[in-house]
Amino acid sequence: MKKNQQNDQLVLDGTEESEMLTRLTERVERAIQLIGQLRRERDDLQARVTGFESSMKDSEQAASRLGDLETENEQFKTERSEIRSRIEKVLTTLEQLETAEAE
């Protein structure tokens, strides 16, 4: 590499220029490969996020349905308890009638 004294510019000989262009070309090719790899990784991550969002939505729907079923179950238990109490009262009344008739 030589310095041109008239305008203070660096002058490269053919070999140095060729080496610099080769290195620059290699760096550009590596950058292109890296950009491609990063884009593929981004696309993969976006697909995974979409999958996770879908899975989360399904889970939320299942949790909501489970909550509904738990509420229904509690209502059925309450109704069953009320029915049992009524049946016990009817049986008690029938037993009292039978006892009164027997006397």
Side-chain angles (χ1 to χ4, degrees):
M1 185 177 345
K2 298 178 185 174
K3 191 173 187 182
N4 185 340
Q5 302 226 350
Q6 284 181 337
N7 52 14
D8 281 344
Q9 291 181 348
L10 296 178
V11 178
L12 302 174
D13 64 22
T15 306
E16 289 176 345
E17 188 175 283
S18 176
E19 287 176 15
M20 287 180 68
L21 287 174
T22 300
R23 286 193 314 233
L24 179 61
T25 301
E26 289 171 355
R27 290 180 74 182
V28 168
E29 288 174 358
R30 282 190 303 230
I32 290 170
Q33 289 174 355
L34 180 60
I35 289 169
Q37 178 185 350
L38 291 173
R39 285 181 176 162
R40 287 187 298 275
E41 289 176 8
R42 179 203 61 204
D43 293 344
D44 180 52
L45 290 173
Q46 285 177 336
R48 290 177 63 188
V49 165
T50 300
F52 288 142
E53 288 173 342
S54 176
S55 178
M56 189 170 74
K57 184 179 178 183
D58 292 344
S59 295
E60 288 172 351
Q61 289 174 344
S64 176
R65 179 67 181 136
L66 179 60
D68 293 344
L69 291 173
E70 287 174 342
T71 301
E72 273 186 52
N73 188 37
E74 288 302 317
Q75 289 173 345
F76 288 142
K77 284 180 180 180
T78 301
E79 289 174 7
R80 180 178 175 208
S81 177
E82 290 173 3
I83 291 170
R84 173 172 270 173
S85 293
R86 289 180 183 173
I87 290 172
E88 287 174 354
K89 285 180 184 177
V90 168
L91 288 174
T92 301
T93 303
L94 288 174
E95 286 175 359
Q96 288 174 352
L97 288 175
E98 287 177 354
T99 305
E101 287 180 5
E103 295 177 358

